Amino acid sequence: MSLRIIEHPSPNHEPRPEGAIVDVLMLHYTGMRSGAEAIARLCDPAAIVSSHYVVEEDGRIFRLVPEGLKARHAGVSHWRGQSALNATSIGIEIVNPGHEWGYRDFPALQMAAVADLCLEILARHPIPPRNVVGHSDVAPDRKQDPGELFDWEGLAANGIGLWPGQDGPAAGDPLALLGRIGYRTDLPLPVLLTAFQRHWRPEVVNGEADAGTLARLNAVAALVEA
């Protein structure tokens, strides 16, 4: 059964480049005080930002931009050697106040809706699990979302993205491991490690290459390359 989608068109979109293949699914939090405020901004022509979907805390799903068009959600972004990811990605904004306005857990109804929406998107596009990412993964020097409270592990259990079943060895060059996973490697190591931890080691977000982080880096790198 198809999801019930509430149409709420945003003018902030443009055609995708000719021949562009959608191969990235990017998850964000709205980082605003309410979902209504976030949707208003994403539909404001003066803001020049948008996403394809917004998922409210009660599970309602709004479509702002059709998947065939380019939304303006990623900004300056990089993943696995590709830049300007708006051209090849679908963006989902998930309502949460974010770190600035009182970051909190994502409700179960909301996460269930996110999972259902992601599964439908993945069924329509050739998006590999390694390319299901957060905004902080592709813009680690600018963004924190969707953050360490987001249930990446639960999504992976439902076939959305990657999560290691066990850690790897606590060894290796952390910058090289980050590059193998997909992160750009020309930023300060603590910035990159913090982004990695927000996604794959949320219990410790300190930007340090401790033994636990190295072990998780190796595990994720192995999954990405499997």
Side-chain angles (χ1 to χ4, degrees), residues 19-38:
I21 295 173
V22 173
D23 63 358
V24 175
L25 177 57
M26 193 179 306
L27 307 183
H28 309 248
Y29 65 41
T30 53
M32 301 186 77
R33 285 168 288 195
S34 71
E37 183 179 347

Side-chain angles (χ1 to χ4, degrees), residues 123-183:
R124 289 191 286 267
H125 301 278
I127 301 172
R130 67 189 184 187
N131 283 358
V132 178
V133 293
H135 201 185
S136 60
D137 294 313
V138 305
D141 55 336
R142 300 187 300 112
K143 297 296 181 178
Q144 299 174 291
D145 57 309
E148 60 276 8
L149 296 180
F150 190 70
D151 188 11
W152 288 108
E153 184 176 5
L155 286 185
N158 284 284
I160 303 157
L162 297 174
W163 193 269
Q166 59 185 20
D167 287 341
D173 176 0
L175 192 61
L177 290 165
L178 287 160
R180 286 166 54 191
I181 293 166
Y183 292 90

Side-chain angles (χ1 to χ4, degrees), residues 33-49:
R33 285 168 288 195
S34 71
E37 183 179 347
I39 290 173
R41 183 169 188 271
L42 293 166
C43 293
D44 181 357
I48 323 178
V49 294

Side-chain angles (χ1 to χ4, degrees), residues 59-99:
R60 286 176 296 154
I61 301 171
F62 297 84
R63 178 163 38 221
L64 277 56
V65 176
E67 292 175 16
L69 297 173
K70 181 170 75 171
R72 299 166 178 168
H73 60 98
V76 178
S77 49
H78 179 100
W79 189 248
R80 299 193 61 78
Q82 301 297 316
S83 299
L85 296 172
N86 280 337
T88 57
S89 65
I90 289 174
I92 301 175
E93 289 276 0
I94 301 158
V95 173
N96 188 289
H99 293 81

Side-chain angles (χ1 to χ4, degrees), residues 183-207:
Y183 292 90
R184 57 187 297 182
T185 56
D186 59 343
L187 294 172
L189 181 59
V191 170
L192 296 169
L193 287 171
T194 298
F196 171 82
Q197 289 168 334
R198 287 192 193 284
H199 187 149
W200 279 292
R201 198 177 182 231
E203 64 272 23
V204 179
V205 181
N206 59 12

